[in-house]
Amino acid sequence: MTRSEQLFQEAVTRIPGGVNSPVRAFGSVGLTPRFIASAKGAYLTDADGNQYLDYIGSWGPMILGHATPLVLQKVEEACRKGLSFGAATEAEVDMARLICGMVPSVEMVRMVNSGTEAVMSAIRAARGCTGRDKIIKFEGCYHGHSDAMLVKAGSGVMTAGVPDSSGVPAGCTQDTLLAVYNDIPGVERLFEEFGSEIAAVIVEPVGANMGVVLPQKGFLEKLRELCTQNETVLIFDEVITGFRLARGGAQEYYGIEADLVTYGKIIGGGMPVGAYGGKREIMEVVAPAGSVYQAGTLSGNPVAMAAGLAQLTYLNEHPEVYGQLEQAGEKLYGGIKAMCRDLKLPCQVNHVASLGCLFFTPEPVTDYRSAKTSDTEAFRRYFVHMLEHGIYLAPSQFEAMFLSASHTEEDIRFTLDTMHKYFEK
Ligand code: KE4
């Protein structure tokens, strides 16, 4: 029995499903999850000493790679000054100044402890400043696990979401309206029916939780226009795209300004951090400045701020990293695309900058419905081959691949060679 198998055997007796976040359980690929002991650069080492080239990067935070000296040094320095004070610190002012400097649309920002908390709070702020209740979200977009976001499409008649998890009362999702990603007419119909009741539209500017689904031309622009016309708050959930697609995230990359934006992952440098921010007149409704309550014992934690500041400062001072990630993405995802063409594989490749996804479907993937036409058994076989050859992918067809600044040309060549050996069989 491997060490990972031993650990998993005990873990399932004391942790639901043996993991502290469901996707880590390798459920959809039917394997024992690898228990990771350490990581450095683009590589993970599991509890049995096996090394893997990592395309998850902790689901996005590790854009520079694992255990980068510049982040570790700042964390160590912060630790020596104390781990948590529950009081205001200079590091939080530095972080707010840095985020507002990197993202022009963000005039004020509040630190929280996860992407879920950032989204939950941004929605409350949008409802608080508009006095409206309804929210539009898109099928296939994931915004964390707050009740109002755990919805799936109701019956054809209903447009309101129904809970997509047990334990979520219908009352928590009755104001969540569901639309189809890239389907502007559907959004227009919701605005025609509910316009003056809609507090916010929340969208992943690049869908990265149904695999990777890109915004079609005009989609984000039209959402911006509809929200402006209806005085609805446009929320970009940039927990994944934030500071990954560009210094200013998807807002910069696509040239669209959201009213509120949510962050996580990269801004924590690997530590538990989330944030929401945007227009001053919206953010000033948040307590204690305003009447929208939101709080957190460890929000702006000094050690987490040290990690986040180190990573974000580096990205801010070295924008060339984004060009490097763009080129690496072209090499990797362009190489996979060429392989699919040459070997006539029934697959699709969607990618933008360092994010990408290989879908096992012949159908172009433009939304959740088309993503779900993927052959998840074919994905599972591919995943097992890659893992056995030392390449650690997301254990689900409906997740993204994440490149980091630590992935080398050699790593990308090894990845493409390993894929080619699999597909040419
Ligand atoms: P967290 O609460 O997990 O920090 O963030 C929630 C969240 C919000 N918005 C977007 C766009 C997200 O992608 C996420 C979380 N992403 C998943 C990866 N698909 C986290 C991995 C996990 O759940 O373990």
Side-chain angles (χ1 to χ4, degrees):
M1 182 180 272
T2 66
R3 185 69 183 129
S4 282
E5 287 166 339
Q6 281 173 344
L7 288 166
F8 192 52
Q9 197 170 55
E10 178 180 0
V12 293
T13 66
R14 296 195 172 85
I15 307 169
V19 291
N20 284 310
S21 198
V23 71
R24 302 177 190 171
F26 276 37
S28 56
V29 291
L31 291 179
T32 298
R34 300 304 188 259
F35 281 63
I36 303 304
S38 66
K40 182 72 181 160
Y43 286 83
L44 301 171
T45 302
D46 73 11
D48 295 281
N50 303 306
Q51 201 178 52
Y52 303 95
L53 177 56
D54 179 19
Y55 280 106
I56 298 185
S58 181
W59 301 97
M62 313 322 291
I63 189 170
L64 296 179
H66 290 285
T68 50
L70 68 99
V71 174
L72 294 187
Q73 182 207 328
K74 293 295 185 186
V75 168
E76 284 162 8
E77 283 170 15
C79 285
R80 289 198 183 85
K81 295 175 184 169
L83 301 182
S84 181
F85 317 126
T89 63
E90 184 172 347
E92 292 161 273
V93 180
D94 294 342
M95 180 63 110
R97 184 187 317 115
L98 181 59
I99 289 175
C100 293
M102 292 175 80
V103 190
S105 71
V106 176
E107 297 173 316
M108 294 192 96
V109 62
R110 165 63 62 86
M111 306 312 296
V112 293
N113 302 282
S114 69
T116 293
E117 212 185 332
V119 166
M120 183 173 72
S121 310
I123 285 174
R124 190 179 304 137
R127 285 172 161 161
C129 80
T130 59
R132 301 174 181 180
D133 294 342
K134 296 206 182 306
I135 303 285
I136 293 177
K137 80 171 286 287
F138 294 87
E139 281 179 335
C141 285
Y142 176 67
H143 302 292
H145 64 88
S146 59
D147 284 347
M149 292 292 103
L150 292 180
V151 296
K152 62 184 174 212
S155 68
V157 174
M158 278 172 50
T159 41
V162 296
D164 194 14
S165 161
S166 54
V168 175
C172 291
T173 60
Q174 66 186 22
D175 289 314
T176 307
L177 306 173
L178 273 169
V180 173
Y181 202 80
N182 281 318
D183 172 22
I184 281 299
V187 179
E188 286 172 328
R189 282 194 297 276
L190 287 175
F191 270 107
E192 277 153 28
E193 189 167 352
F194 300 101
S196 60
E197 299 173 60
I198 301 173
V201 172
I202 184 165
V203 66
E204 287 183 65
V206 171
N209 285 285
M210 45 180 150
V212 174
V213 176
L214 306 185
Q216 288 176 336
K217 188 165 172 36
F219 175 59
L220 298 175
E221 291 79 355
K222 196 62 184 169
L223 290 184
R224 175 62 280 169
E225 191 185 306
L226 287 167
C227 285
T228 302
Q229 282 166 1
N230 290 276
E231 296 182 312
T232 293
V233 176
L234 177 59
I235 304 175
F236 271 13
D237 179 351
E238 292 219 46
V239 168
I240 284 186
T241 57
F243 309 102
R244 174 167 285 276
L245 299 191
R247 257 190 311 195
Q251 292 185 87
E252 177 183 324
Y253 197 86
Y254 291 107
I256 307 270
E257 207 169 272
D259 300 310
L260 287 182
V261 57
T262 55
Y263 293 122
K265 301 181 192 280
I266 288 174
I267 67 168
M271 300 294 282
V273 179
Y276 64 105
K279 285 185 176 162
R280 183 179 301 279
E281 69 262 24
I282 300 176
M283 289 302 292
E284 284 190 330
V285 301
V286 178
S291 58
V292 171
Y293 195 70
Q294 179 265 309
T297 302
L298 292 171
S299 296
N301 170 273
V303 178
M305 292 297 99
L309 276 167
Q311 179 152 273
L312 273 195
T313 300
Y314 184 87
L315 291 168
N316 190 39
E317 293 175 355
H318 298 81
E320 69 276 9
V321 169
Y322 293 106
Q324 289 157 9
L325 286 167
E326 193 85 28
Q327 285 163 18
E330 272 310 316
K331 277 197 178 62
L332 176 64
Y333 305 121
I336 300 171
K337 223 177 241 185
M339 191 184 309
C340 293
R341 187 192 59 238
D342 299 346
L343 299 179
K344 296 182 176 45
L345 301 177
C347 295
Q348 300 290 319
V349 180
N350 287 355
H351 68 100
V352 56
S354 54
L355 282 177
C357 182
L358 172 63
F359 288 98
F360 285 76
T361 177
E363 184 178 333
V365 178
T366 58
D367 57 21
Y368 186 56
R369 186 202 57 76
S370 45
K372 294 292 271 185
T373 64
S374 300
D375 177 345
T376 52
E377 176 51 26
F379 172 82
R380 188 194 66 76
R381 293 194 299 272
Y382 157 72
F383 174 88
V384 171
H385 170 86
M386 298 296 275
L387 190 70
E388 286 171 350
H389 289 77
I391 295 175
Y392 193 79
L393 301 173
S396 163
Q397 167 69 92
F398 307 107
E399 297 287 354
M401 288 177 80
F402 296 86
L403 270 166
S404 81
S406 291
H407 285 78
T408 64
E409 289 207 22
E410 183 48 39
D411 293 327
I412 292 171
R413 198 171 308 116
F414 165 60
T415 304
L416 292 171
D417 289 349
T418 305
M419 292 179 75
H420 204 278
K421 285 191 183 81
Y422 175 70
F423 285 118
E424 67 182 359
K425 276 190 305 195

